[in-house]
Amino acid sequence: MKKIFQYIMLAVVTIVMASCTSDIEETTATTGKSNVQLVVGEFPVFGDSQTRAIGTPDEGKTSWAEGDELLLEIDNTSYGRHNATFTYNGKSWELTSGELVYREGDPAYIPHVYYAPNYKWEAGKLVLKEGKDPGTDEYIEGNAIITGNGINVSFAEATRNYSRLRIATMPNKQITVDTEYFTPAGSSDMKWDQNYALTSDENGNAYLYGNFVTNSRVDVKYGEVPLATYKFTQETKNAKSYALDATVVSLTDEGITYEQIVEDVKKELDAGKTYINLMLAPDADEETLDAIHIGLQDAGYGSINLTLIGCKKIPSRGFMYCKMLKSIALPDVTEIEGNAFLDCTGLQKVVLGNLTKVYGNVRNNGIFDGLDTKYIDLVLSEDQKVMNGGETEGGYCWTADITKDYSGSDEHNGRVFLDYDFKSITCVYPVP
């Protein structure tokens, strides 16, 4: 009597974690008339080769975590190709969609197994999940072998054909990252220009996965406020991790002294940074800004891109004679007093938040006195209102007209703000 072939469908699968070098603890689950064991090896870690040293090396993800998915494909003569997704529940892997089906005795194999969090199976192909962008997570292909009643999954020999860019910035904040000449992981097409909205983790890290070539460029912003820029001088190596410093130094500790502020800022300068990002208290005073100026005094003319996050008001003469400033970003500032940027002759770009009050005019204590603003690019919030100037008891003052948006106004179209003519004026949303 001929042997009756049975088919095996993996409807419920228990998967155990195992090192490639350690003994595998066997766990089986009954599926129909057969027992099936599926074993998954350890998560592969990145090699570390940083472009810039930022504290201690960061390994990133080093082990499987609850919610991780594996995307498997099986092929055999009797049933053809089938796809399945398995999800890790913190203890074992469970079949959560699709199926793996084959006949006992009919040669079957697993041609593909992926760890690719941005992707899912659809009509037998990997497609991006809704709301996901290529290059914002891993795309690793491992190996899977059917042996007897088991399926062994391993990433030990998997080779990442891409690198990782770790962006070190503020914890739990959304940043925007603009890239040029970047090939995202899982793609073979280089993107000439690509824009990403990333949210940093609790350690302040955000990641991009893919290949960068010579002259690839990365710009990191907090909204429209620049935090860092980098141009690669050579292409990145596969499976290596690179780091870009977009960190923000906090100067908000209660009791921080003038000398400590000078020292903290000087450390940033001594580290060779040209993008210096500082977190200040909302009521940061003239003394704080003077300490920042002293810390930057050894910088070259027009060489520093300074971002101050948190402060609401710039006092009179707040940045007077800061000739080292190439750009300044004040995303949270709503009020500026007279002569704030007096003789900051190195300035090429100014980023302001949503101003409600500005003291002085172009003929008397104006904030841009001593500058030729026709060579300066100005960035304002899309919520910025038209500013109306006039004499007050305390002198000349501009106040926001809450009934009229500046964006699209005659002044905006004419590249005029506070009676100053600028090289360009851009209104963007949001300026944090």
Side-chain angles (χ1 to χ4, degrees), residues 23-305:
D23 293 332
I24 297 174
E25 178 184 352
E26 294 189 359
T27 302
T28 62
T30 301
T31 59
K33 298 180 180 180
S34 297
N35 292 332
V36 177
Q37 181 186 19
L38 198 146
V39 180
V40 180
E42 291 181 343
F43 187 87
V45 298
F46 259 99
D48 193 83
S49 175
Q50 299 180 341
T51 54
R52 301 182 184 184
I54 306 172
T56 58
D58 173 79
E59 294 179 302
K61 183 179 176 66
T62 59
S63 61
W64 299 110
E66 186 174 351
D68 283 346
E69 294 179 340
L70 289 180
L71 306 171
L72 278 76
E73 182 176 62
I74 191 170
D75 192 14
N76 63 97
T77 304
S78 299
Y79 293 100
R81 289 179 181 264
H82 288 268
N83 309 113
T85 301
F86 294 88
T87 304
Y88 188 55
N89 63 17
K91 295 181 179 179
S92 61
W93 295 81
E94 299 176 340
L95 180 68
T96 50
S97 68
E99 60 184 8
L100 298 183
V101 58
Y102 61 96
R103 283 186 184 276
E104 185 178 4
D106 182 6
Y109 70 102
I110 309 289
H112 297 293
V113 54
Y114 299 96
Y115 172 67
N118 287 346
Y119 290 82
K120 64 179 181 180
W121 290 117
E122 188 173 287
K125 295 182 179 180
L126 287 182
V127 299
L128 278 169
K129 295 177 180 177
E130 184 177 354
K132 298 293 186 179
D133 293 315
T136 58
D137 215 320
E138 299 265 30
Y139 189 96
I140 319 170
E141 184 167 8
N143 298 307
I145 302 174
I146 299 175
T147 57
N149 288 332
I151 299 177
N152 293 339
V153 176
S154 172
F155 287 88
E157 304 300 324
T159 300
R160 290 177 171 91
N161 58 357
Y162 54 88
S163 59
R164 180 186 73 178
L165 178 65
R166 175 169 69 96
I167 301 168
T169 185
M170 301 170 286
N172 302 311
K173 293 291 186 180
Q174 187 175 80
I175 58 174
T176 57
V177 182
D178 300 332
T179 63
E180 293 180 357
Y181 313 127
F182 174 57
T183 304
S187 173
S188 59
D189 298 326
M190 177 183 288
K191 306 294 184 182
W192 300 102
D193 296 286
Q194 186 79 6
N195 309 108
Y196 294 97
L198 305 177
T199 300
S200 61
D201 61 22
E202 64 276 6
N203 296 317
N205 292 320
Y207 301 95
L208 283 179
Y209 300 84
N211 295 315
F212 297 91
V213 297
T214 303
N215 293 325
S216 288
R217 182 183 176 93
V218 178
D219 292 297
V220 182
K221 301 176 183 177
Y222 175 52
E224 283 298 315
V225 178
L227 296 181
T229 188
Y230 186 75
K231 179 178 284 190
F232 285 83
T233 57
Q234 59 185 10
E235 64 181 301
T236 55
K237 296 180 179 179
N238 291 343
K240 294 294 184 180
S241 179
Y242 298 81
L244 178 59
D245 191 347
T247 52
V248 177
V249 177
S250 177
L251 303 177
T252 61
D253 293 343
E254 186 176 351
I256 189 169
T257 66
Y258 183 97
E259 290 74 18
Q260 287 174 322
I261 294 174
V262 172
E263 185 64 24
D264 287 346
V265 174
K266 193 173 185 301
K267 285 180 181 178
E268 297 292 287
L269 188 65
D270 291 344
K273 295 184 181 180
T274 58
Y275 281 80
I276 297 180
N277 312 310
L278 308 175
M279 180 78 73
L280 304 183
D283 58 350
D285 56 16
E286 186 173 349
E287 186 176 76
T288 298
L289 296 185
D290 184 64
I292 293 170
H293 188 180
I294 296 300
L296 294 175
Q297 65 182 353
D298 292 333
Y301 176 85
S303 62
I304 298 299
N305 302 279

Side-chain angles (χ1 to χ4, degrees), residues 310-332:
C311 63
K312 299 293 185 180
K313 180 179 179 179
I314 302 301
S316 176
R317 302 180 179 87
F319 298 100
M320 184 171 62
Y321 307 138
C322 289
K323 298 179 185 293
M324 77 289 291
L325 296 180
K326 179 180 180 180
S327 72
I328 187 165
L330 306 168
D332 301 307

Side-chain angles (χ1 to χ4, degrees), residues 357-361 363-364 387-400 418-419:
K357 186 179 292 186
V358 177
Y359 292 91
N361 62 27
R363 294 170 298 280
N364 183 21
M387 303 292 287
N388 297 320
E391 297 289 343
T392 66
E393 184 176 342
Y396 200 88
C397 181
W398 298 84
T399 55
L418 305 175
D419 274 354

Side-chain angles (χ1 to χ4, degrees), residues 388-418:
N388 297 320
E391 297 289 343
T392 66
E393 184 176 342
Y396 200 88
C397 181
W398 298 84
T399 55
D401 183 347
I402 62 173
T403 66
K404 188 176 181 182
D405 290 335
Y406 175 80
S407 178
S409 66
D410 291 341
E411 292 91 341
H412 182 200
N413 295 334
R415 300 191 297 276
V416 176
F417 188 67
L418 305 175

